[in-house]
Amino acid sequence: QVLAVYCDAGRGLAAAHAAGLIHRDFKPSNAIVGDDGRIRVLDFGLARARARPSDKAERDEAPPRISPSASATLDLRLTRTGALLGTPAYMAPEQFLDRTVDAASDQFAFCVALYSALFGEAPFPGSTVLALCEAVCAGRVRTPRPGPVPAHVVQAILRGLAVDPAARWPSMDLLLAELDVGLTEHLVPARPR
């Protein structure tokens, strides 16, 4: 059921990407169940249009902007503005480093949320923004707890959590296709041969 709900939310992100929008702050509290039972992604307050290639070159050369005050304990689930845009607990490495944010960044946030929902803990350790930033940027993902989650679903999520955006899924649609396979296999019992 968790996987089905998240796949619906992921389709909302994919639709935003198809319309040329990057959410930049996907998290569970930015998705709701409508009266018709459909999941809707909302709060596009930090959204923006896709970056132009010239924007990417300029931003990727900039040094990281994590302030010393980031070492203070913070509620990592709240949206931060200023030097960091987004909710630290769901931010991709490129957001922490003030580099180009695109659909792969939304995919990362989606995978953080899905990992947390399936395993009951965040994929990256850190109780401060600085500690979390270091874990995310180093790719220090916690080993998923053993359980009923199919291995290829775990692998799909871990790929979406890659430090390098180019190593993630090429699109939300391809990630969702892989997760849908896991959903179908989990919900449909195997037929006897």
Side-chain angles (χ1 to χ4, degrees), residues 86-102:
T87 303
Y90 301 93
M91 285 170 45
E94 58 271 20
Q95 284 177 280
F96 279 113
L97 300 173
D98 195 29
R99 297 199 171 136
T100 301
V101 174
D102 59 18

Side-chain angles (χ1 to χ4, degrees), residues 78-118:
L78 298 177
T79 300
R80 302 283 175 219
T81 56
L84 297 176
L85 285 176
T87 303
Y90 301 93
M91 285 170 45
E94 58 271 20
Q95 284 177 280
F96 279 113
L97 300 173
D98 195 29
R99 297 199 171 136
T100 301
V101 174
D102 59 18
S105 309
D106 283 351
Q107 181 187 132
F108 186 95
F110 173 84
C111 288
V112 169
L114 180 55
Y115 180 107
S116 300
L118 291 174

Side-chain angles (χ1 to χ4, degrees), residues 1-7 26 28 90 109-123 141-159 161 175-176 178-183 186-187:
Q1 289 176 331
V2 169
L3 187 56
V5 168
Y6 272 87
C7 283
F26 180 81
Y90 301 93
F110 173 84
C111 288
V112 169
L114 180 55
Y115 180 107
S116 300
L118 291 174
F119 299 107
E121 65 181 351
V141 179
R142 288 182 169 117
T143 302
R145 295 176 181 176
V149 181
H152 70 279
V153 170
V154 174
Q155 291 306 311
I157 294 167
L158 294 177
R159 180 175 175 185
L161 294 174
L175 168 59
L176 293 170
E178 184 66 20
L179 294 176
D180 280 340
V181 169
L183 184 60
H186 186 69
L187 295 179

Side-chain angles (χ1 to χ4, degrees), residues 26-46:
F26 180 81
K27 55 190 172 187
S29 62
N30 284 345
I32 61 166
V33 180
D35 292 339
D36 59 359
R38 288 181 43 215
I39 307 300
R40 289 174 173 79
V41 176
L42 48 103
D43 191 359
F44 282 78
L46 295 180

Side-chain angles (χ1 to χ4, degrees), residues 124-143:
F124 299 96
S127 59
T128 67
V129 173
L130 187 57
L132 182 63
C133 172
E134 289 171 351
V136 167
C137 292
R140 288 195 303 267
V141 179
R142 288 182 169 117
T143 302

